[in-house]
Amino acid sequence: MPLKVALAGNPNVGKSTLFNGLTGLNQHVGNWPGKTVEKKEGLFSFRGTEIELLDLPGTYSLTAGSPEEEVVVDYFLEEEPDLVVNVVDASNLDRNLYLALQVMEFGLNTIIAVNLNREAEKEGYRVNHEGLSELLGVPVVQIEAVDPEQDQLLETVLRQAGKRPEPVTYEFMKRDDVRALMELIGEKIRGPSPGWILIKLLEGDERVESMLDREILDKFKKIRKTLEDEYGDTETLVADARYGLIEALIEGSVKRPALDRVTRSEIIDRVVLNRYLGLPILLGVMWLVFQLTFTAGAPIAELIEGGFSVLAESVSSWSGSSLLADGIIGGVGAVMVFIPNIFILFFLLSFLEDSGYLARAAFVMDRIMNTLGGLSGRSFIPMMLGFGCCVPAIMSTRTIDSERDRILTSLIVPFMSCSARLPVYVLFTAALFPFIYRGWVIFSLYILGIAVAIISARLLGDRLLGGERSLFLMELPPYRMPRLRTLLIHTWMRGVQFVKKAGTVILAGSLVIWFLSNYPGSGVSDSFLGMLGAFIAPLFQPLGFGEWQSAVALIFGFVAKELVISTFGTVYGAGNIQAAIQGIFTPLEALSFMVFVLLYTPCIATLGVIKQEAGSRWALFSLAYSLATAWVVSFLVYTAGTLVGF
Ligand SMILES: Nc1nc2c(ncn2[C@@H]2O[C@H](COP(=O)(O)OP(=O)(O)OP(=O)(O)O)[C@@H](O)[C@H]2O)c(=O)[nH]1
Ligand SMILES: [Mg+2]
């Protein structure tokens, strides 16, 4: 049996960094709180011992209030790890110990791993690790999660395995009546320490209450009454007891910097978070990201495109097979051309995430999100992640604390332009807009997505979802220069997903499209595809793109948005897409089409994750709502454009 070791700790302290280093896996790492939302395990061995390591979501406490806290509490209750490595941030020990104490109240075998020491030392913190260990009664190890070698930590893990330290207790738990109750609990409950059960009862945890029988609950109620008479509110009693202990621990083992020290991050934030400069800076950053994505990727993209055209031609003349040349090379090639752009986009988004700017973007957007959307700025983080892919973006809504905001954010994230929509913009703008306007057209589409998302939040929020709004309560991490290695791994992982998708979903989709467009005959009236397209095309007539090709492209785009382009590639051949688009669309019609592609139904994978996070009813709602929104907005764009004379 491998040794079961869990990594617990506050958000953003480096748990996943440590996990990746030890297991060689690639969990999401970034510089903002709340990345890991599901537990993930990995196996490795150290000096002949197999270790099963578990990366838990970051939490501030163990009160199963939000989904990620529930994951951690469930895990502790059900799985009983051999050892918990509690990762803490050296410059934030007081707050981090609040969770560590709760893990120790539970009675779990614990090691404290103090991370981010170098950064803390630069800021003027000095942690006396031995002193802290003596005071706490558990091993305290100094680590640097980014370092490849973690022998000291792992040796401590092996040494500590099998021990069972006394659970942490507080002064009020030493009273006779309380002790008697704890003994009674101890006889009936296995797993968590009686002290932890008692504390949860005092905190009013309904789930723990349901684990206990009448006798205990009756006794508890009497004791709670006495405690209330003596100390006041029992929840406060517990919190005070913890803070009291933490104060003593810190006093005895940490030297803090002088109070008036201004950190580098604070200086940067004076500009970046400035009331007037914050928003222009955010817009500028986004503009730069999208410009770099489109322009820096273009030369390589052209090379690849040329390669695919030549390949398609020679394959077609050599084999005479339209299936190979048009179906496969045309469909898949049309999408593969965008690999450079996609990699650059992922690289830049990772940079924003890792530097600490993403958390600032949420802060800057808080006021706008609040007044216009009735949502907190916290929801802007999933929205920004949606520029990469909406699936992980929607998963990341789990750390939003109110259910109303969680569901609402899942519903609006699909309006963000994910990377799959990028090929559509590039091809259509390149075909129909002069060079100097292209960047602005694309940028406007991204902004339109954000605007529609925020307005939708306002429209849907109070009408459909009751409940509390969440406040913007998120700590701003310090700025860090991202490590190139981390960025490249990040980019690679996400980029590979894109390539995989091209080799599977897009390939299969392209084959289906090729088949349907060539049988029974080819053309509008003879092929299945043409007939299908012609049947639904009238729906899009008022929006300016009533041709069967666009209708068909949109239907396949529902499976994966890249298939919009694959459809054109398969029908016209990889090298001829631009010319084909010029033949079918005017610039205004193309704009209307791009707006539709931006807003209409989330792809199947995204709907799947909305169903998982919010339920099938909301997934269906999202489908219908986004279709309607896309139709209305495209109609407005097209009609307005026509009226102005385009
Ligand atoms: N310089 C430095 N940075 C670190 C170290 N460990 C982690 N970081 C950075 O700290 C940030 C947070 O790291 P993660 O591993 O994602 O933190 P986490 O605890 O898993 O966070 P959540 O999943 O959000 O709870 C990232 O930007 C890391 O690059 C370290 O030892 N040194
Ligand atoms: Mg993590």
Side-chain angles (χ1 to χ4, degrees), residues 348-466:
L348 296 170
L349 290 177
S350 298
F351 188 93
L352 293 187
E353 235 187 84
D354 258 5
S355 60
Y357 185 72
L358 189 63
R360 269 75 186 182
F363 187 92
V364 168
M365 286 300 285
D366 188 48
R367 202 150 31 110
I368 298 179
M369 297 279 286
N370 248 308
T371 33
L372 297 182
L375 266 179
S376 99
R378 178 63 182 76
S379 298
F380 197 65
I381 289 190
M383 286 165 70
M384 287 276 278
L385 296 178
F387 289 138
C389 174
C390 294
V391 174
I394 290 173
M395 301 269 294
S396 82
T397 57
R398 283 198 201 165
T399 48
I400 297 175
D401 50 3
S402 96
E403 186 174 3
R404 166 196 192 271
D405 287 10
R406 245 182 347 252
I407 295 181
L408 201 51
T409 311
S410 306
L411 293 178
I412 63 171
V413 162
F415 290 129
M416 298 296 106
S417 268
C418 68
S419 57
R421 286 168 241 198
L422 177 156
V424 180
Y425 304 157
V426 177
L427 274 172
F428 276 73
T429 49
L432 292 163
F433 292 87
F435 185 77
I436 47 161
Y437 295 133
R438 284 177 206 163
W440 287 106
V441 171
I442 295 178
F443 188 61
S444 316
L445 286 166
Y446 278 93
I447 299 295
L448 177 70
I450 299 179
V452 171
I454 295 180
I455 294 168
S456 299
R458 166 66 71 200
L459 289 177
L460 303 178
D462 294 336
R463 280 193 187 77
L464 300 181
L465 287 151

Side-chain angles (χ1 to χ4, degrees), residues 12 14-17 27-29 35-37 55-58:
N12 213 35
K15 298 177 296 298
S16 300
T17 307
Q27 276 277 75
H28 186 172
V29 164
K35 294 156 302 271
T36 308
V37 292
D55 186 20
L56 289 169

Side-chain angles (χ1 to χ4, degrees), residues 16 31 48 96 108 171 279 297 301 379 590 622:
S16 300
N31 189 12
N96 281 225
L108 290 160
E171 209 46 48
L279 190 62
S379 298
S622 164

Side-chain angles (χ1 to χ4, degrees), residues 61-333:
S61 86
L62 290 187
T63 37
S66 61
E68 80 279 4
E69 284 174 345
E70 219 158 276
V71 171
V72 177
V73 176
D74 278 352
Y75 173 74
F76 286 162
L77 282 173
E78 284 155 23
E79 308 267 326
E80 298 192 25
D82 295 309
L83 195 72
V84 175
V85 173
N86 217 307
V87 185
V88 296
D89 174 351
S91 60
N92 232 328
L93 270 183
D94 32 6
R95 210 205 43 219
N96 281 225
L97 284 173
Y98 196 76
L99 175 74
L101 284 185
Q102 297 184 47
V103 175
M104 294 172 64
E105 288 162 10
F106 198 96
L108 290 160
N109 187 8
T110 312
I111 293 177
I112 308 280
V114 183
N115 189 25
L116 299 159
N117 294 281
R118 286 177 208 148
E119 203 173 270
E121 274 174 28
K122 262 190 232 151
E123 282 176 38
Y125 290 89
R126 295 281 175 279
V127 180
N128 172 357
H129 299 87
E130 292 83 30
L132 185 60
S133 169
E134 252 166 53
L135 288 169
L136 268 172
V138 299
V140 174
V141 190
Q142 174 176 2
I143 64 163
E144 210 52 45
V146 286
D147 290 349
E149 191 241 39
Q150 299 292 351
D151 286 5
Q152 207 205 340
L153 174 67
L154 294 175
E155 278 160 13
T156 316
V157 165
L158 295 191
R159 220 175 316 120
Q160 184 71 8
K163 297 198 179 152
R164 186 97 188 170
E166 277 298 301
V168 166
T169 49
Y170 304 104
E171 209 46 48
F172 71 87
M173 293 158 82
K174 296 188 181 140
R175 298 162 48 108
D176 287 341
D177 51 349
V178 175
R179 287 231 308 258
L181 176 65
M182 279 163 55
E183 251 167 53
L184 193 62
I185 296 175
E187 283 163 20
K188 305 219 168 149
I189 297 278
R190 303 268 122 235
S193 81
W196 186 77
I197 299 279
L198 174 78
I199 288 173
K200 287 292 120 181
L201 289 176
L202 289 172
E203 288 179 333
D205 189 315
E206 286 168 11
R207 176 161 162 200
V208 168
E209 250 170 58
S210 71
M211 288 160 53
L212 300 167
D213 59 30
R214 272 259 71 77
E215 188 197 351
I216 294 183
L217 289 178
D218 286 343
K219 287 219 165 94
F220 165 70
K221 276 181 195 140
K222 279 203 203 95
I223 289 183
R224 185 173 58 195
K225 185 86 191 40
T226 347
L227 288 175
E228 271 171 354
D229 290 343
E230 206 160 317
Y231 303 102
D233 176 47
T234 55
E235 216 174 319
T236 320
L237 169 67
V238 172
D240 285 349
R242 287 185 189 133
Y243 284 122
L245 181 53
I246 289 172
E247 208 169 297
L249 290 169
I250 299 282
E251 189 73 18
S253 61
V254 183
K255 268 216 195 83
R256 289 189 241 206
L259 270 183
D260 51 4
R261 216 186 126 93
V262 182
T263 63
R264 199 177 41 143
S265 293
E266 283 164 347
I267 298 173
I268 302 177
D269 277 343
R270 278 186 197 158
V271 182
V272 169
L273 301 184
N274 179 284
R275 213 182 150 79
Y276 304 103
L277 293 177
L279 190 62
I281 291 176
L282 174 59
L283 286 173
V285 166
M286 278 168 42
W287 194 84
L288 205 68
V289 166
F290 299 131
Q291 283 305 308
L292 280 173
T293 299
F294 291 107
T295 49
I300 319 175
E302 266 163 38
L303 275 181
I304 302 182
E305 188 184 355
F308 273 112
S309 304
V310 173
L311 186 67
E313 261 164 47
S314 59
V315 164
S316 127
S317 61
W318 155 78
S319 66
S321 157
S322 142
L323 171 67
L324 259 182
D326 295 337
I328 298 180
I329 300 176
V332 178

